[in-house]
Amino acid sequence: MTSAQNYQAVKAGHSALKHFSNLWDIPDPFTAALFSTSQNQTMYKAGTTRFEALVIHSITQALENTHLDITSSRVVFILSTTKANVELLEYPDTPIEMLHPGESAQRIAKHLGMTTEPIIVCNACVSGLSALILAERLLSQKIYDYAIVCGADVLSRFVISGFQSFKSMDSQPCRPYDIERLGMNLGEAAATMILAGEEAEHQEGWALLQGTIRNDAHHISTPSNKGEGAYRVLTPLLQQVNKEELALVNAHGTATMFMDQMEAIALHRTALDDIPVNSYKGYFGHTLGAAGVLETILTIHALDDHTILGTRGFQELGVSVPIQVSAEPRSTNKQTFIKLISGFGGSNAALVVSAEPQIQKCQAGVHQTRQTHRVVITPDGLTIDGKPQPSTATGKALLTALYHTYVKDYPKFYKMDGLSKLGFLASELLIASEADTQSSESEQRAVILFNHSSSIATDQRYQTSIQPEDYYPSPSLFVYTLPNIVTGEIAIRHQLHSETSFYILASRDEQLITQIQQAALCDASTKSMITGWIDYEDDAHFCADMYILETTTP
């Protein structure tokens, strides 16, 4: 239940993974790491959900040894999660606001006494690392003095059935990078880091130095076989830190055939294949939105103990390049590492973390921007740059009509969910508006989107497919229960290899949106972005208000 307890358990080679049969009326057995009944009872908080109680418990623990005034307007709360309270979809009478991650984060903040509007990072498996990178950027810009970053997810029939539908799960304990690996296991967790900016009192200890987020623009659920996304996030970091300073790369290591191979190729392409590599999935399983935070904390504890933890389940290397994986712990005196992670929607992220004082942190500034083109799509019609456009359709039929009028040549559109169709059409119209101007290169254009309801419309559709009496989980539907897939669809269509990120807010807050957009521009390679608000609550209630934001010379 504490970081120290978890570190000692992992160092001793223990695992929380257990085999389950017929749990939650799931017909196929699976192996996962689930909180016990007694643990859930220990964390219980009246008036909160299981997910919310878990987050509150983790943050409360992290705050115990601090004197931080969390009521201050200089403290930002960033919550990383993929599905938050989605298990409540099992109960038809659940109020819709209980299913919105933004409102869940508000309830957590209120319970703890935080006063700033929370930010929810929902970037698939990359969410936790994306949250840490966002926190580092906001602190570097001196918008806040402290950041509380919590990554958390719980498991349910919804989540387990979805990954099983991809045939990506092993019913036995997983074996990262091993020649006999058969797939991943999943896990429940919450992990919290409290970060101090340069103006804060605490300046000693570990620091987040630089993070990058990139899209491989390859496929919404399958990584590039050349490791393109991971290669692109690692390359800028190696311009800041020499690989001789690295103790290890703590990789994703999900034990799936393609992901492990992709990471190995990326490490080889960046000449990191002679640096120790490890994965913690054999201890905790893949903890989804918690993974990036949890695994960063664990690596910090290990290096404080001069240890590189072993990769549980690994026996014989099963990737095509000889990366340095070991099942046994190794010793080290180095205190710098890279955390690497990848996920659905083509997202990839990497972060340099160090306790070495001679390694300098990148500096961030405020960037001048201008909005070039704007597209608004609602059930009532389309507006481009403030001018209403003619249309013969409304509601759900409007999206198909817009496709036939303005696109026509991308039949994958018909496979998308409503949220992705909406974002796809808005981005097509935005880019078409640039036909007479100089558009940014694919390496320089990010996709940064925001909404309130996550992927609620698709979540509800998927839930109907996994009722015990009519159990037929579909991978093509499940993948769209991640709202960041819309950013991946846009990246694939236009081969955008820069950052793609998705954020959920309790309500549309333009000041907060501007802060996050400015944070994305801390990445020096980002010169423009497709950004804005995109919500699809159901076929009659949706809105895309998206625009192109470009940096300008001061």
Side-chain angles (χ1 to χ4, degrees), residues 3-14 305:
S3 298
Q5 289 171 349
N6 275 281
Y7 171 63
Q8 291 301 327
V10 170
K11 186 179 179 182
H14 301 158
D305 193 30

Side-chain angles (χ1 to χ4, degrees), residues 105-121:
Q106 275 194 326
R107 288 190 293 273
I108 292 165
K110 182 178 180 181
H111 189 282
L112 292 167
M114 289 183 275
T115 59
T116 53
E117 283 297 314
I119 301 169
I120 299 84
V121 181

Side-chain angles (χ1 to χ4, degrees), residues 231-396:
Y231 170 77
R232 287 174 182 271
V233 293
L234 289 169
T235 300
L237 302 187
L238 295 175
Q239 296 172 2
Q240 180 193 354
V241 60
N242 295 323
K243 75 172 191 175
E244 289 76 17
E245 299 169 322
L246 293 173
L248 75 154
V249 176
N250 173 235
H252 202 22
T254 59
T256 56
M257 189 62 66
F258 295 121
M259 187 67 78
D260 286 10
Q261 171 68 8
M262 176 278 287
E263 285 190 303
I265 294 295
L267 292 168
H268 175 70
R269 290 180 64 187
T270 50
L272 290 172
D273 45 0
D274 58 347
I275 300 292
V277 177
N278 69 359
S279 165
Y280 303 138
K281 300 302 188 291
Y283 306 99
F284 299 96
H286 183 356
T287 55
L288 304 173
V293 186
L294 181 153
E295 294 169 2
T296 299
I297 293 171
L298 197 65
T299 306
I300 287 172
H301 275 261
L303 294 186
D304 277 340
D305 193 30
H306 307 293
T307 299
I308 298 170
L309 292 166
T311 299
R312 195 177 194 277
F314 174 81
Q315 292 182 11
E316 180 182 351
L317 192 66
V319 292
S320 63
V321 291
I323 59 173
Q324 305 306 307
V325 186
S326 171
E328 301 301 320
R330 290 168 277 184
S331 61
T332 183
N333 288 317
K334 297 178 180 179
Q335 288 198 297
T336 301
F337 68 95
I338 291 177
K339 172 63 194 152
L340 174 66
I341 203 160
S342 303
F344 283 175
S347 296
N348 299 264
L351 177 66
V352 178
V353 186
S354 181
E356 298 291 348
Q358 72 271 20
I359 298 179
Q360 295 299 311
K361 193 175 187 299
C362 285
Q363 298 300 310
V366 177
H367 301 267
Q368 304 273 343
T369 60
R370 67 186 180 98
Q371 186 184 123
T372 59
H373 299 283
R374 190 174 202 130
V375 168
V376 178
I377 304 174
T378 70
D380 296 323
L382 165 69
T383 300
I384 301 176
D385 291 333
K387 299 178 181 179
Q389 304 298 309
S391 177
T392 58
T394 58
K396 180 182 178 182

Side-chain angles (χ1 to χ4, degrees), residues 453-512:
S453 64
S454 184
S455 52
I456 186 64
T458 307
D459 293 351
Q460 291 169 326
R461 284 183 60 205
Y462 181 77
Q463 181 67 32
T464 64
S465 75
I466 57 169
Q467 298 307 309
E469 64 276 8
D470 190 20
Y471 186 85
Y472 191 76
S474 164
S476 61
L477 184 57
F478 178 73
V479 71
Y480 287 104
T481 65
L482 294 167
N484 75 298
I485 295 300
V486 60
T487 68
E489 293 284 22
I490 295 169
I492 293 166
R493 167 66 163 170
H494 297 285
Q495 287 299 289
L496 303 178
H497 290 284
S498 191
E499 177 170 341
T500 56
S501 292
F502 199 96
Y503 301 97
I504 301 172
L505 308 178
S507 60
R508 187 170 176 176
D509 184 325
E510 294 298 337
Q511 181 179 0
L512 196 54

Side-chain angles (χ1 to χ4, degrees), residues 17 57 72 213 226 295 371 398 465-466 477 493 525:
L17 295 170
H57 190 85
S72 169
I213 304 170
K226 296 181 180 179
E295 294 169 2
Q371 186 184 123
L398 172 67
S465 75
I466 57 169
L477 184 57
R493 167 66 163 170
S525 70

